[in-house]
Amino acid sequence: MNLKRVVITGLGALTPVGNKVPEIWDSLLGGVSGAGRITRFDPEPFKCRIAAEIKGFCSEDFFDRKEGRKLDLFTQYGIVASDEAIHDAGLDSEKLDLDRVGVIFASGMGGCQSFQDEVASYVQNTTTPRFNPFFVTKSIGDICAGQISIRHGYRGPNYATTAACASSAIAINDALMLIRLGKADVIVTGGSEAAITQLGIGGFSGMQALSTRNDDPQTASRPFDKDRDGFVLGEGAGALVLEELEHAKARGAKIYAEITGSGLSADAYHIAASHPEGIGARNAMKLAIEDSGMQLSDVDHINTHGTSTPIGDISEPKAVVALFGDHAGHITLNSTKSMTGHLLGAAGAVEAIATALAVQNDVVPPTINHFTDDPNIPQLDFSFNKATYRKVDFALSNAFGFGGHNVCLAFRKY
């Protein structure tokens, strides 16, 4: 079968280290941390009182008051990021076959704040309960994809994907596959998340998944460091415009990178912990490289899942060594989450953006907050504390999720 080639022609994002892609990229290269004390609510009763919040976002800058009240924050984030990506790609609805333009947009948690608010309201008045008529359409996880489609009139494939922290990487995988098969010309894809709520912080705290370095939040996310104690919860959105190569060339679009393959696997091991030897991660990377028609020795860079958790940060480097052997020492790895925190369902998209920009610009952002080597982690080139300028022709981006979901996306210089 003759598969179509797929390229990235637009990028958009909203993250704790910047509200547009150029600002975010500068922050990543500069090693800026987006973590701090939670301001969204009073965190004092909680064991974890820190998170990586978006700064300076005002709903009324993008939506009128009436429209904004109908949209959960995760949907607002997704719309803003996708608008940036669509504008960046130069997509003009009047010049597109809108039946062949789709939206596949993910969320791991959906409308957390809307759900929390509605439950709290019900508990306060169970005798004569009254529910917001927009409760369902604010809360359900697919609604961001639907809102983006309606906003721009895109009538192609339209749905959401949910695979915990791998959700938006799955969305990108699906967009890649549909365009390859000729089912669409253009797909706006990615994911959004806004889970910095009492339920979000409380739930992950209850799992003992979050860092409690409350006195030093900016260094709390410490992927691969000996003293890491959990991840820092983040929020935001990442959006990419994926486009069939000939379609992009015909309209003179700029191209960031080619997305050449993907690999999906399951750990089949534990609901919340990665396989200790990284079997699923290794298989996903192997499949992505094979799908790209490349060799192990072609890989220059891996944007790791790297969450700053005690188990996951050991298993992923083990998977790299098991798969790549001697070549593992020639690969530059990093963890974007050391700066952005963990954006859950949006993480895969934001890190795919960072990986595509690394390929385009021949530079790997740092893994910040490294102070002490962990003897249990293979000592690879993690780009600790400083950006690494090197040739990046072919790179991978990993995303793993609760449930044992593993996704690896592959990017090549165009």
Side-chain angles (χ1 to χ4, degrees):
M1 187 178 207
N2 240 347
L3 296 177
K4 310 283 189 181
R5 291 173 65 185
V6 181
V7 293
I8 301 165
T9 57
L11 301 174
L14 192 61
T15 79
V17 297
N19 293 3
K20 285 185 175 293
V21 169
E23 179 189 1
I24 294 164
W25 183 237
D26 285 346
S27 293
L28 293 179
L29 293 182
V32 175
S33 170
R37 183 178 172 85
I38 293 169
T39 65
R40 197 67 49 76
F41 56 88
D42 179 10
E44 199 57 38
F46 294 85
K47 186 177 180 182
C48 171
R49 297 186 284 277
I50 60 174
E53 296 177 325
I54 286 174
K55 289 84 173 167
F57 178 83
C58 178
S59 174
E60 293 180 13
D61 289 342
F62 304 97
F63 310 98
D64 64 46
R65 192 169 298 181
K66 184 178 179 181
E67 183 184 15
R69 284 200 299 265
K70 299 176 184 178
L71 303 172
D72 187 88
L73 198 56
F74 97 99
T75 301
Q76 294 185 26
Y77 288 166
I79 290 172
V80 171
S82 62
D83 278 358
E84 181 187 1
I86 289 163
H87 180 265
D88 184 45
L91 295 181
D92 182 347
S93 291
E94 293 185 359
K95 297 179 180 178
L96 297 170
D97 180 351
L98 297 180
D99 292 336
R100 294 185 58 80
V101 182
V103 181
I104 305 174
F105 222 79
S107 182
M109 304 284 283
C112 292
Q113 188 67 57
S114 296
F115 183 83
Q116 177 178 299
D117 291 347
E118 209 66 28
V119 171
S121 174
Y122 172 69
V123 169
Q124 290 170 8
N125 186 9
T126 58
T127 306
T128 55
R130 298 181 63 184
F131 285 85
N132 187 319
F134 300 106
F135 166 46
V136 172
T137 55
K138 287 176 73 174
S139 302
I140 53 179
D142 72 306
I143 208 67
C144 187
Q147 290 282 9
I148 294 167
S149 170
I150 293 166
R151 188 177 180 88
H152 297 282
Y154 298 157
R155 297 188 296 265
N158 182 255
Y159 59 95
T161 55
T162 298
C165 306
S167 295
S168 55
I170 290 275
I172 295 168
N173 165 82
D174 285 13
L176 168 66
M177 296 303 173
L178 287 172
I179 297 173
R180 273 180 159 183
L181 293 170
K183 304 293 186 181
D185 298 324
V186 180
I187 295 181
V188 180
T189 187
S192 58
E193 207 77 272
I196 303 176
T197 65
Q198 289 93 329
L199 289 182
I201 291 292
F204 285 112
S205 289
M207 297 178 68
Q208 297 185 330
L210 298 180
S211 171
T212 56
R213 195 169 273 111
N214 298 314
D215 58 340
D216 191 12
Q218 293 206 329
T219 72
S221 183
R222 301 184 179 191
F224 313 113
D225 186 86
K226 180 178 180 292
D227 298 317
R228 65 194 181 278
D229 70 332
F231 69 80
V232 174
L233 184 60
E235 63 177 353
L240 302 88
V241 174
L242 267 54
E243 190 165 353
E244 192 272 321
L245 175 61
E246 296 306 318
H247 187 275
K249 287 164 63 176
R251 66 180 190 87
K254 69 175 181 295
I255 294 173
Y256 285 98
E258 182 175 3
I259 179 164
T260 55
S262 63
L264 283 68
S265 72
D267 282 343
Y269 172 72
H270 187 277
I271 202 67
S274 58
H275 190 284
E277 299 302 318
I279 290 175
R282 183 187 69 200
N283 290 343
M285 289 187 287
K286 181 174 182 289
L287 290 168
I289 294 165
E290 290 174 351
D291 190 33
S292 300
M294 304 291 279
Q295 303 298 316
L296 295 174
S297 58
D298 293 323
V299 177
D300 300 310
H301 163 47
I302 301 173
N303 188 310
T304 68
H305 187 60
T307 57
S308 185
T309 52
I311 296 173
D313 283 14
I314 297 175
S315 61
E316 189 173 6
K318 281 187 174 181
V320 171
V321 171
L323 177 61
F324 291 97
D326 290 343
H327 183 64
H330 300 283
I331 301 171
T332 303
L333 296 84
N334 78 330
S335 171
T336 309
K337 293 182 184 72
S338 63
M339 296 169 279
T340 65
H342 192 349
L343 275 60
L344 306 180
V350 170
E351 289 159 25
I353 290 169
T355 308
L357 290 172
V359 169
Q360 184 193 41
N361 295 289
D362 290 318
V363 56
V364 177
T367 304
I368 67 168
N369 299 329
H370 183 77
F371 304 100
T372 308
D373 289 345
D374 185 339
N376 297 306
I377 294 177
Q379 294 307 298
L380 302 172
D381 176 8
F382 290 104
S383 195
F384 283 139
N385 298 321
K386 188 177 179 182
T388 299
Y389 290 82
R390 58 157 296 170
K391 187 178 181 183
V392 184
D393 288 334
F394 184 58
L396 307 177
S397 182
N398 288 337
F400 312 140
F402 286 170
H405 317 301
N406 304 299
V407 186
C408 179
L409 301 171
F411 302 85
R412 183 168 60 201
K413 196 183 297 292
Y414 176 73

PDB file of all heavy atoms in Angstrom, residues 40-69:
ATOM      1  N   ARG A  40      -4.551  28.826  42.397  1.00  0.00           N
ATOM      2  CA  ARG A  40      -5.928  28.601  41.928  1.00  0.00           C
ATOM      3  C   ARG A  40      -6.904  28.422  43.094  1.00  0.00           C
ATOM      4  O   ARG A  40      -8.090  28.719  42.987  1.00  0.00           O
ATOM      5  CB  ARG A  40      -5.932  27.359  41.028  1.00  0.00           C
ATOM      6  CG  ARG A  40      -7.146  27.164  40.132  1.00  0.00           C
ATOM      7  CD  ARG A  40      -7.278  28.203  39.049  1.00  0.00           C
ATOM      8  NE  ARG A  40      -6.073  28.431  38.280  1.00  0.00           N
ATOM      9  CZ  ARG A  40      -5.590  27.619  37.327  1.00  0.00           C
ATOM     10  NH1 ARG A  40      -6.189  26.490  37.054  1.00  0.00           N
ATOM     11  NH2 ARG A  40      -4.508  27.942  36.658  1.00  0.00           N
ATOM     12  N   PHE A  41      -6.412  27.888  44.207  1.00  0.00           N
ATOM     13  CA  PHE A  41      -7.205  27.704  45.420  1.00  0.00           C
ATOM     14  C   PHE A  41      -6.233  27.681  46.593  1.00  0.00           C
ATOM     15  O   PHE A  41      -5.016  27.668  46.397  1.00  0.00           O
ATOM     16  CB  PHE A  41      -8.027  26.404  45.366  1.00  0.00           C
ATOM     17  CG  PHE A  41      -7.190  25.172  45.126  1.00  0.00           C
ATOM     18  CD1 PHE A  41      -6.615  24.464  46.183  1.00  0.00           C
ATOM     19  CD2 PHE A  41      -6.967  24.713  43.829  1.00  0.00           C
ATOM     20  CE1 PHE A  41      -5.843  23.342  45.964  1.00  0.00           C
ATOM     21  CE2 PHE A  41      -6.194  23.582  43.599  1.00  0.00           C
ATOM     22  CZ  PHE A  41      -5.623  22.892  44.674  1.00  0.00           C
ATOM     23  N   ASP A  42      -6.735  27.686  47.798  1.00  0.00           N
ATOM     24  CA  ASP A  42      -5.868  27.640  48.977  1.00  0.00           C
ATOM     25  C   ASP A  42      -5.339  26.214  49.137  1.00  0.00           C
ATOM     26  O   ASP A  42      -6.099  25.299  49.471  1.00  0.00           O
ATOM     27  CB  ASP A  42      -6.645  28.041  50.225  1.00  0.00           C
ATOM     28  CG  ASP A  42      -5.784  27.987  51.492  1.00  0.00           C
ATOM     29  OD1 ASP A  42      -4.551  27.815  51.376  1.00  0.00           O
ATOM     30  OD2 ASP A  42      -6.360  28.110  52.587  1.00  0.00           O
ATOM     31  N   PRO A  43      -4.040  26.000  48.925  1.00  0.00           N
ATOM     32  CA  PRO A  43      -3.508  24.641  48.967  1.00  0.00           C
ATOM     33  C   PRO A  43      -3.072  24.183  50.357  1.00  0.00           C
ATOM     34  O   PRO A  43      -2.605  23.059  50.522  1.00  0.00           O
ATOM     35  CB  PRO A  43      -2.292  24.740  48.040  1.00  0.00           C
ATOM     36  CG  PRO A  43      -1.784  26.129  48.274  1.00  0.00           C
ATOM     37  CD  PRO A  43      -2.995  26.982  48.529  1.00  0.00           C
ATOM     38  N   GLU A  44      -3.216  25.057  51.355  1.00  0.00           N
ATOM     39  CA  GLU A  44      -2.651  24.777  52.676  1.00  0.00           C
ATOM     40  C   GLU A  44      -3.101  23.436  53.275  1.00  0.00           C
ATOM     41  O   GLU A  44      -2.296  22.735  53.910  1.00  0.00           O
ATOM     42  CB  GLU A  44      -2.972  25.921  53.636  1.00  0.00           C
ATOM     43  CG  GLU A  44      -2.080  25.961  54.872  1.00  0.00           C
ATOM     44  CD  GLU A  44      -0.595  26.050  54.548  1.00  0.00           C
ATOM     45  OE1 GLU A  44      -0.235  26.751  53.577  1.00  0.00           O
ATOM     46  OE2 GLU A  44       0.199  25.403  55.258  1.00  0.00           O
ATOM     47  N   PRO A  45      -4.361  23.018  53.086  1.00  0.00           N
ATOM     48  CA  PRO A  45      -4.770  21.739  53.684  1.00  0.00           C
ATOM     49  C   PRO A  45      -4.151  20.511  53.023  1.00  0.00           C
ATOM     50  O   PRO A  45      -4.248  19.407  53.563  1.00  0.00           O
ATOM     51  CB  PRO A  45      -6.296  21.724  53.492  1.00  0.00           C
ATOM     52  CG  PRO A  45      -6.675  23.136  53.222  1.00  0.00           C
ATOM     53  CD  PRO A  45      -5.509  23.737  52.512  1.00  0.00           C
ATOM     54  N   PHE A  46      -3.510  20.696  51.866  1.00  0.00           N
ATOM     55  CA  PHE A  46      -3.022  19.563  51.100  1.00  0.00           C
ATOM     56  C   PHE A  46      -1.543  19.284  51.391  1.00  0.00           C
ATOM     57  O   PHE A  46      -0.766  20.193  51.672  1.00  0.00           O
ATOM     58  CB  PHE A  46      -3.207  19.807  49.598  1.00  0.00           C
ATOM     59  CG  PHE A  46      -4.646  19.865  49.171  1.00  0.00           C
ATOM     60  CD1 PHE A  46      -5.362  21.053  49.258  1.00  0.00           C
ATOM     61  CD2 PHE A  46      -5.289  18.731  48.702  1.00  0.00           C
ATOM     62  CE1 PHE A  46      -6.694  21.114  48.889  1.00  0.00           C
ATOM     63  CE2 PHE A  46      -6.620  18.780  48.317  1.00  0.00           C
ATOM     64  CZ  PHE A  46      -7.327  19.968  48.418  1.00  0.00           C
ATOM     65  N   LYS A  47      -1.183  18.018  51.273  1.00  0.00           N
ATOM     66  CA  LYS A  47       0.215  17.630  51.460  1.00  0.00           C
ATOM     67  C   LYS A  47       1.094  18.249  50.367  1.00  0.00           C
ATOM     68  O   LYS A  47       2.204  18.717  50.624  1.00  0.00           O
ATOM     69  CB  LYS A  47       0.331  16.104  51.439  1.00  0.00           C
ATOM     70  CG  LYS A  47       1.720  15.585  51.774  1.00  0.00           C
ATOM     71  CD  LYS A  47       1.726  14.060  51.811  1.00  0.00           C
ATOM     72  CE  LYS A  47       3.116  13.533  52.143  1.00  0.00           C
ATOM     73  NZ  LYS A  47       3.164  12.055  52.152  1.00  0.00           N
ATOM     74  N   CYS A  48       0.588  18.245  49.129  1.00  0.00           N
ATOM     75  CA  CYS A  48       1.275  18.915  48.014  1.00  0.00           C
ATOM     76  C   CYS A  48       0.633  20.277  47.798  1.00  0.00           C
ATOM     77  O   CYS A  48      -0.576  20.363  47.579  1.00  0.00           O
ATOM     78  CB  CYS A  48       1.171  18.080  46.738  1.00  0.00           C
ATOM     79  SG  CYS A  48       1.766  18.936  45.262  1.00  0.00           S
ATOM     80  N   ARG A  49       1.444  21.323  47.846  1.00  0.00           N
ATOM     81  CA  ARG A  49       0.909  22.678  47.715  1.00  0.00           C
ATOM     82  C   ARG A  49       1.525  23.429  46.533  1.00  0.00           C
ATOM     83  O   ARG A  49       1.472  24.657  46.467  1.00  0.00           O
ATOM     84  CB  ARG A  49       1.138  23.444  49.027  1.00  0.00           C
ATOM     85  CG  ARG A  49       0.392  22.816  50.202  1.00  0.00           C
ATOM     86  CD  ARG A  49       0.484  23.624  51.468  1.00  0.00           C
ATOM     87  NE  ARG A  49       1.786  23.495  52.113  1.00  0.00           N
ATOM     88  CZ  ARG A  49       2.133  22.490  52.922  1.00  0.00           C
ATOM     89  NH1 ARG A  49       1.285  21.495  53.155  1.00  0.00           N
ATOM     90  NH2 ARG A  49       3.325  22.460  53.482  1.00  0.00           N
ATOM     91  N   ILE A  50       2.096  22.673  45.601  1.00  0.00           N
ATOM     92  CA  ILE A  50       2.764  23.281  44.445  1.00  0.00           C
ATOM     93  C   ILE A  50       2.244  22.672  43.151  1.00  0.00           C
ATOM     94  O   ILE A  50       1.719  21.557  43.121  1.00  0.00           O
ATOM     95  CB  ILE A  50       4.301  23.091  44.527  1.00  0.00           C
ATOM     96  CG1 ILE A  50       4.663  21.598  44.551  1.00  0.00           C
ATOM     97  CG2 ILE A  50       4.860  23.825  45.746  1.00  0.00           C
ATOM     98  CD1 ILE A  50       6.155  21.314  44.488  1.00  0.00           C
ATOM     99  N   ALA A  51       2.373  23.441  42.079  1.00  0.00           N
ATOM    100  CA  ALA A  51       1.968  22.981  40.746  1.00  0.00           C
ATOM    101  C   ALA A  51       2.615  23.895  39.716  1.00  0.00           C
ATOM    102  O   ALA A  51       3.205  24.925  40.055  1.00  0.00           O
ATOM    103  CB  ALA A  51       0.446  22.984  40.604  1.00  0.00           C
ATOM    104  N   ALA A  52       2.479  23.526  38.460  1.00  0.00           N
ATOM    105  CA  ALA A  52       2.967  24.365  37.356  1.00  0.00           C
ATOM    106  C   ALA A  52       1.751  24.949  36.648  1.00  0.00           C
ATOM    107  O   ALA A  52       1.146  24.310  35.785  1.00  0.00           O
ATOM    108  CB  ALA A  52       3.833  23.554  36.402  1.00  0.00           C
ATOM    109  N   GLU A  53       1.365  26.148  37.069  1.00  0.00           N
ATOM    110  CA  GLU A  53       0.177  26.803  36.537  1.00  0.00           C
ATOM    111  C   GLU A  53       0.525  27.681  35.330  1.00  0.00           C
ATOM    112  O   GLU A  53       1.630  28.195  35.224  1.00  0.00           O
ATOM    113  CB  GLU A  53      -0.460  27.689  37.615  1.00  0.00           C
ATOM    114  CG  GLU A  53      -0.979  26.930  38.821  1.00  0.00           C
ATOM    115  CD  GLU A  53      -1.537  27.853  39.893  1.00  0.00           C
ATOM    116  OE1 GLU A  53      -0.983  28.976  40.064  1.00  0.00           O
ATOM    117  OE2 GLU A  53      -2.504  27.463  40.560  1.00  0.00           O
ATOM    118  N   ILE A  54      -0.457  27.896  34.470  1.00  0.00           N
ATOM    119  CA  ILE A  54      -0.315  28.874  33.389  1.00  0.00           C
ATOM    120  C   ILE A  54      -0.409  30.272  34.000  1.00  0.00           C
ATOM    121  O   ILE A  54      -1.192  30.521  34.915  1.00  0.00           O
ATOM    122  CB  ILE A  54      -1.398  28.644  32.329  1.00  0.00           C
ATOM    123  CG1 ILE A  54      -1.049  27.388  31.517  1.00  0.00           C
ATOM    124  CG2 ILE A  54      -1.556  29.847  31.416  1.00  0.00           C
ATOM    125  CD1 ILE A  54      -2.101  26.979  30.541  1.00  0.00           C
ATOM    126  N   LYS A  55       0.416  31.179  33.490  1.00  0.00           N
ATOM    127  CA  LYS A  55       0.445  32.545  34.015  1.00  0.00           C
ATOM    128  C   LYS A  55      -0.182  33.524  33.010  1.00  0.00           C
ATOM    129  O   LYS A  55       0.010  33.397  31.804  1.00  0.00           O
ATOM    130  CB  LYS A  55       1.884  33.003  34.284  1.00  0.00           C
ATOM    131  CG  LYS A  55       2.547  32.324  35.485  1.00  0.00           C
ATOM    132  CD  LYS A  55       3.138  31.007  35.099  1.00  0.00           C
ATOM    133  CE  LYS A  55       3.949  30.386  36.227  1.00  0.00           C
ATOM    134  NZ  LYS A  55       4.268  28.975  35.962  1.00  0.00           N
ATOM    135  N   GLY A  56      -0.902  34.483  33.529  1.00  0.00           N
ATOM    136  CA  GLY A  56      -1.377  35.577  32.690  1.00  0.00           C
ATOM    137  C   GLY A  56      -2.441  35.207  31.681  1.00  0.00           C
ATOM    138  O   GLY A  56      -2.627  35.914  30.690  1.00  0.00           O
ATOM    139  N   PHE A  57      -3.159  34.111  31.906  1.00  0.00           N
ATOM    140  CA  PHE A  57      -4.231  33.732  30.986  1.00  0.00           C
ATOM    141  C   PHE A  57      -5.532  34.356  31.455  1.00  0.00           C
ATOM    142  O   PHE A  57      -5.947  34.168  32.599  1.00  0.00           O
ATOM    143  CB  PHE A  57      -4.380  32.215  30.920  1.00  0.00           C
ATOM    144  CG  PHE A  57      -5.511  31.764  30.026  1.00  0.00           C
ATOM    145  CD1 PHE A  57      -5.327  31.668  28.657  1.00  0.00           C
ATOM    146  CD2 PHE A  57      -6.755  31.442  30.559  1.00  0.00           C
ATOM    147  CE1 PHE A  57      -6.371  31.250  27.830  1.00  0.00           C
ATOM    148  CE2 PHE A  57      -7.798  31.029  29.744  1.00  0.00           C
ATOM    149  CZ  PHE A  57      -7.604  30.937  28.382  1.00  0.00           C
ATOM    150  N   CYS A  58      -6.177  35.084  30.574  1.00  0.00           N
ATOM    151  CA  CYS A  58      -7.474  35.695  30.877  1.00  0.00           C
ATOM    152  C   CYS A  58      -8.481  35.235  29.832  1.00  0.00           C
ATOM    153  O   CYS A  58      -8.319  35.518  28.634  1.00  0.00           O
ATOM    154  CB  CYS A  58      -7.374  37.221  30.875  1.00  0.00           C
ATOM    155  SG  CYS A  58      -8.960  38.030  31.200  1.00  0.00           S
ATOM    156  N   SER A  59      -9.487  34.527  30.263  1.00  0.00           N
ATOM    157  CA  SER A  59     -10.487  33.981  29.348  1.00  0.00           C
ATOM    158  C   SER A  59     -11.088  35.054  28.445  1.00  0.00           C
ATOM    159  O   SER A  59     -11.316  34.837  27.250  1.00  0.00           O
ATOM    160  CB  SER A  59     -11.592  33.298  30.162  1.00  0.00           C
ATOM    161  OG  SER A  59     -12.642  32.874  29.321  1.00  0.00           O
ATOM    162  N   GLU A  60     -11.326  36.244  29.008  1.00  0.00           N
ATOM    163  CA  GLU A  60     -12.000  37.290  28.243  1.00  0.00           C
ATOM    164  C   GLU A  60     -11.115  37.896  27.149  1.00  0.00           C
ATOM    165  O   GLU A  60     -11.611  38.664  26.315  1.00  0.00           O
ATOM    166  CB  GLU A  60     -12.516  38.364  29.191  1.00  0.00           C
ATOM    167  CG  GLU A  60     -13.638  37.840  30.084  1.00  0.00           C
ATOM    168  CD  GLU A  60     -14.184  38.887  31.038  1.00  0.00           C
ATOM    169  OE1 GLU A  60     -13.875  40.087  30.859  1.00  0.00           O
ATOM    170  OE2 GLU A  60     -14.928  38.508  31.966  1.00  0.00           O
ATOM    171  N   ASP A  61      -9.838  37.540  27.139  1.00  0.00           N
ATOM    172  CA  ASP A  61      -8.990  37.950  26.019  1.00  0.00           C
ATOM    173  C   ASP A  61      -9.308  37.141  24.762  1.00  0.00           C
ATOM    174  O   ASP A  61      -8.937  37.550  23.647  1.00  0.00           O
ATOM    175  CB  ASP A  61      -7.512  37.757  26.376  1.00  0.00           C
ATOM    176  CG  ASP A  61      -7.016  38.751  27.412  1.00  0.00           C
ATOM    177  OD1 ASP A  61      -7.684  39.789  27.610  1.00  0.00           O
ATOM    178  OD2 ASP A  61      -5.969  38.483  28.034  1.00  0.00           O
ATOM    179  N   PHE A  62      -9.986  36.002  24.933  1.00  0.00           N
ATOM    180  CA  PHE A  62     -10.242  35.102  23.811  1.00  0.00           C
ATOM    181  C   PHE A  62     -11.722  34.795  23.608  1.00  0.00           C
ATOM    182  O   PHE A  62     -12.129  34.447  22.491  1.00  0.00           O
ATOM    183  CB  PHE A  62      -9.494  33.778  24.043  1.00  0.00           C
ATOM    184  CG  PHE A  62      -8.017  33.939  24.253  1.00  0.00           C
ATOM    185  CD1 PHE A  62      -7.473  33.976  25.532  1.00  0.00           C
ATOM    186  CD2 PHE A  62      -7.165  34.078  23.166  1.00  0.00           C
ATOM    187  CE1 PHE A  62      -6.112  34.131  25.724  1.00  0.00           C
ATOM    188  CE2 PHE A  62      -5.799  34.235  23.352  1.00  0.00           C
ATOM    189  CZ  PHE A  62      -5.274  34.267  24.637  1.00  0.00           C
ATOM    190  N   PHE A  63     -12.509  34.897  24.656  1.00  0.00           N
ATOM    191  CA  PHE A  63     -13.923  34.533  24.570  1.00  0.00           C
ATOM    192  C   PHE A  63     -14.760  35.619  25.253  1.00  0.00           C
ATOM    193  O   PHE A  63     -14.345  36.162  26.282  1.00  0.00           O
ATOM    194  CB  PHE A  63     -14.185  33.194  25.300  1.00  0.00           C
ATOM    195  CG  PHE A  63     -13.238  32.091  24.914  1.00  0.00           C
ATOM    196  CD1 PHE A  63     -12.124  31.800  25.704  1.00  0.00           C
ATOM    197  CD2 PHE A  63     -13.436  31.354  23.756  1.00  0.00           C
ATOM    198  CE1 PHE A  63     -11.242  30.794  25.361  1.00  0.00           C
ATOM    199  CE2 PHE A  63     -12.553  30.349  23.401  1.00  0.00           C
ATOM    200  CZ  PHE A  63     -11.448  30.060  24.193  1.00  0.00           C
ATOM    201  N   ASP A  64     -15.922  35.926  24.672  1.00  0.00           N
ATOM    202  CA  ASP A  64     -16.784  36.861  25.395  1.00  0.00           C
ATOM    203  C   ASP A  64     -17.325  36.143  26.637  1.00  0.00           C
ATOM    204  O   ASP A  64     -17.265  34.921  26.757  1.00  0.00           O
ATOM    205  CB  ASP A  64     -17.896  37.413  24.507  1.00  0.00           C
ATOM    206  CG  ASP A  64     -18.891  36.360  24.025  1.00  0.00           C
ATOM    207  OD1 ASP A  64     -19.333  35.538  24.861  1.00  0.00           O
ATOM    208  OD2 ASP A  64     -19.225  36.348  22.830  1.00  0.00           O
ATOM    209  N   ARG A  65     -17.824  36.933  27.574  1.00  0.00           N
ATOM    210  CA  ARG A  65     -18.183  36.391  28.888  1.00  0.00           C
ATOM    211  C   ARG A  65     -19.224  35.277  28.778  1.00  0.00           C
ATOM    212  O   ARG A  65     -19.130  34.240  29.453  1.00  0.00           O
ATOM    213  CB  ARG A  65     -18.693  37.505  29.782  1.00  0.00           C
ATOM    214  CG  ARG A  65     -18.824  37.111  31.249  1.00  0.00           C
ATOM    215  CD  ARG A  65     -19.075  38.326  32.117  1.00  0.00           C
ATOM    216  NE  ARG A  65     -17.970  39.267  32.046  1.00  0.00           N
ATOM    217  CZ  ARG A  65     -17.928  40.415  32.730  1.00  0.00           C
ATOM    218  NH1 ARG A  65     -18.943  40.758  33.505  1.00  0.00           N
ATOM    219  NH2 ARG A  65     -16.891  41.227  32.630  1.00  0.00           N
ATOM    220  N   LYS A  66     -20.194  35.444  27.911  1.00  0.00           N
ATOM    221  CA  LYS A  66     -21.246  34.437  27.745  1.00  0.00           C
ATOM    222  C   LYS A  66     -20.667  33.129  27.203  1.00  0.00           C
ATOM    223  O   LYS A  66     -21.003  32.043  27.694  1.00  0.00           O
ATOM    224  CB  LYS A  66     -22.325  34.979  26.802  1.00  0.00           C
ATOM    225  CG  LYS A  66     -23.513  34.046  26.626  1.00  0.00           C
ATOM    226  CD  LYS A  66     -24.562  34.678  25.715  1.00  0.00           C
ATOM    227  CE  LYS A  66     -25.744  33.734  25.506  1.00  0.00           C
ATOM    228  NZ  LYS A  66     -26.763  34.335  24.597  1.00  0.00           N
ATOM    229  N   GLU A  67     -19.805  33.228  26.198  1.00  0.00           N
ATOM    230  CA  GLU A  67     -19.196  32.029  25.621  1.00  0.00           C
ATOM    231  C   GLU A  67     -18.279  31.344  26.626  1.00  0.00           C
ATOM    232  O   GLU A  67     -18.276  30.121  26.767  1.00  0.00           O
ATOM    233  CB  GLU A  67     -18.406  32.396  24.358  1.00  0.00           C
ATOM    234  CG  GLU A  67     -17.783  31.210  23.644  1.00  0.00           C
ATOM    235  CD  GLU A  67     -16.931  31.623  22.461  1.00  0.00           C
ATOM    236  OE1 GLU A  67     -16.581  32.816  22.345  1.00  0.00           O
ATOM    237  OE2 GLU A  67     -16.593  30.738  21.652  1.00  0.00           O
ATOM    238  N   GLY A  68     -17.490  32.145  27.350  1.00  0.00           N
ATOM    239  CA  GLY A  68     -16.543  31.589  28.305  1.00  0.00           C
ATOM    240  C   GLY A  68     -17.213  30.779  29.399  1.00  0.00           C
ATOM    241  O   GLY A  68     -16.659  29.774  29.870  1.00  0.00           O
ATOM    242  N   ARG A  69     -18.418  31.202  29.815  1.00  0.00           N
ATOM    243  CA  ARG A  69     -19.134  30.481  30.872  1.00  0.00           C
ATOM    244  C   ARG A  69     -19.560  29.086  30.417  1.00  0.00           C
ATOM    245  O   ARG A  69     -19.870  28.231  31.246  1.00  0.00           O
ATOM    246  CB  ARG A  69     -20.360  31.277  31.326  1.00  0.00           C
ATOM    247  CG  ARG A  69     -20.017  32.462  32.214  1.00  0.00           C
ATOM    248  CD  ARG A  69     -21.242  32.911  33.011  1.00  0.00           C
ATOM    249  NE  ARG A  69     -22.342  33.353  32.135  1.00  0.00           N
ATOM    250  CZ  ARG A  69     -22.551  34.616  31.790  1.00  0.00           C
ATOM    251  NH1 ARG A  69     -21.748  35.572  32.242  1.00  0.00           N
ATOM    252  NH2 ARG A  69     -23.568  34.940  31.022  1.00  0.00           N
TER     253      ARG A  69
END
